[in-house]
Amino acid sequence: MKTMLLLAPLLLAGTPAADAGPAADPPGEVATATPPVRYDLRRAQAVPGDAQAGKAKAEVCGACHGENGIAPAPLFPNLAGQPAAYLYWSLQAYRSGRLPESPMTALAATLQEQDIRDLASYYASLPVPPPAPETETATAGTDAALAGRGRALYLDGDPSRGIPPCQGCHGDDARGNPLAGYRDRSGRLPYAAYPALRGQQPDYLRTRLQQFHGQAIDASSNSRIMEGVGQRLDADSIEALSTWLSSLNE
């Protein structure tokens, strides 16, 4: 297990610091250079934000992500309970133009630093509720064989194709990296910005993995890891992973 949990630093060990862009230190550091920076999330720090203030600022977000952070449509991601660091740096990446163009691009461009901190803190504070009846129905109709392949790929990877197990960064239960709270000697949180994938919306998972496969995302040290993994995932693997992860609602 320790070997898998240390996968991210090992994969990035040979990456020159300059190539990874400026450190994600302190929180909120956003360079104005062109092209936009790639954030080194191995040096991320805690995200200080006001969840209550974030709730007041999240009204417009509910149209796509749901009133309680659970998206009403499978194309949009659930945000409830995601790590604050992941949400924070995702919004920074949208604001800096490092993520593919989407409705989030224009919305994030209007956010101030404190807005990003507060929104990240708010959605991270939300509990993940039990699945709605329609989600349970979809789960019951999941292709068992396809989901089984996704489970095996997530937990064990595929050494023959150079695909590492996803649990190395996202946890064996897909609830996020179990070392998310670990601080190094400098007080940084190198594992804090990995998202939870359990019960995530299927179309969103599929789209994101396809973007990594097509090398369309170059936002951070974490996305560099996923770019390497994504290039090795074929369409069947992406479908299997998306099917299994989105079926995990308990």
Side-chain angles (χ1 to χ4, degrees):
M1 180 63 73
K2 288 184 179 180
T3 299
M4 287 187 278
L5 292 175
L6 292 174
L7 175 64
L10 287 175
L11 285 175
L12 286 166
T15 304
D19 188 48
D25 179 19
E29 179 179 336
V30 179
T32 57
T34 303
V37 301
R38 182 190 300 117
Y39 302 112
D40 186 349
L41 301 188
R42 296 167 294 178
R43 300 182 62 185
Q45 293 189 342
V47 177
D50 185 332
Q52 199 60 36
K55 180 178 181 179
K57 298 173 180 179
E59 184 175 354
V60 67
C61 309
C64 293
H65 301 289
E67 182 179 355
N68 297 308
I70 302 300
L75 182 61
F76 304 114
N78 299 330
L79 303 182
Q82 285 288 355
Y86 169 72
L87 295 168
Y88 174 85
W89 289 109
S90 293
L91 286 171
Q92 292 287 10
Y94 275 116
R95 187 170 72 160
S96 69
R98 273 286 181 185
L99 288 176
E101 184 79 18
S102 80
M104 279 300 304
T105 306
L107 290 170
T110 68
L111 296 175
Q112 300 300 310
E113 170 64 24
Q114 192 61 48
D115 297 331
I116 293 177
R117 296 184 184 191
D118 293 344
L119 287 167
S121 297
Y122 167 62
Y123 280 110
S125 74
L126 294 178
V128 178
E134 58 267 28
T135 304
E136 292 174 344
T137 301
T139 300
T142 297
D143 184 325
L146 186 64
R149 293 199 296 274
R151 179 182 184 277
L153 195 56
Y154 182 92
L155 294 175
D156 303 323
D158 186 343
S160 67
R161 290 189 288 162
I163 301 174
C166 309
Q167 66 164 309
C169 292
H170 301 283
D172 58 4
D173 58 2
R175 298 185 191 276
N177 197 297
L179 293 179
Y182 166 79
R183 292 179 182 269
D184 65 17
R185 294 180 179 179
S186 299
R188 300 186 181 102
L189 299 162
Y191 302 100
Y194 292 100
L197 303 179
R198 190 180 191 88
Q200 187 54 270
Q201 297 286 357
D203 288 359
Y204 171 75
L205 287 170
R206 190 177 298 110
T207 298
R208 259 301 185 251
L209 289 173
Q210 289 169 345
Q211 288 171 336
F212 282 123
H213 177 79
Q215 304 180 61
I217 299 178
D218 187 20
S220 68
S221 51
N222 286 7
S223 62
R224 168 158 287 200
I225 296 171
M226 277 307 304
E227 179 184 285
V229 175
Q231 290 178 63
R232 294 172 171 82
L233 295 174
D234 57 21
D236 289 341
S237 299
I238 290 174
E239 187 65 26
L241 282 167
S242 302
T243 297
W244 182 65
L245 286 167
S246 62
S247 74
L248 303 177
N249 293 298
E250 69 280 1

